[in-house]
Amino acid sequence: MTRMDPEKRVDAILPLVAGQSQRAVAESVGVHPSTVRAWLKDPLFADELAKVREVAARKPLDAGAVLVAMDEAAVRLGARPAGAPVVVSIPAGASARRRRRLLAQGVARAVEGGLR
């Protein structure tokens, strides 16, 4: 059942926002591609994905706002309790590609509960 893995659902959001294929996202989070398709049909997941997409599409990219949107999505999808801190350090002058990579890594660690 797709609702039994809230952490994996949250892990799938940023790669989907970044434009990865459903198959690539499924491989990266460790589920079958049909599971990702089922998540995309779920109104709650689709709504959270749309919210993060909207924040990530803003120019210039605001990594802090994306983190807040991901944290809110994690809470609403049941992956973590409300109020868990999320902090990611992005060096000044980092390229857009590096900022996105660091942001994705930070969110992944935060979702797993390993971010201090």
Side-chain angles (χ1 to χ4, degrees):
M1 170 147 235
T2 60
R3 292 190 182 270
M4 298 183 82
D5 295 321
E7 296 86 13
K8 290 183 179 186
R9 289 165 47 110
V10 173
D11 289 346
I13 290 176
L14 278 181
L16 288 167
V17 168
Q20 287 189 11
S21 70
Q22 292 176 22
R23 182 174 300 279
V25 172
E27 289 176 11
S28 71
V29 299
V31 298
H32 194 272
S34 65
T35 302
V36 175
R37 282 190 291 281
W39 290 343
L40 291 169
K41 292 177 183 178
D42 175 28
L44 177 61
F45 181 82
D47 186 47
E48 296 305 321
L49 178 62
K51 289 176 184 175
V52 175
R53 269 193 179 129
E54 178 185 329
V55 172
R58 294 180 191 155
K59 301 293 180 200
L61 176 65
D62 182 356
V66 174
L67 283 174
V68 169
M70 285 298 299
D71 188 45
E72 292 169 353
V75 170
R76 286 190 291 265
L77 290 172
R80 112 171 110 217
V86 177
V87 178
V88 174
S89 296
I90 298 177
S95 68
R97 182 177 182 181
R98 183 164 185 220
R99 286 191 313 261
R100 284 190 300 271
R101 189 180 77 243
L102 290 171
L103 176 63
Q105 290 170 348
V107 169
R109 285 191 311 269
V111 167
E112 293 166 4
L115 190 62
R116 290 179 256 146

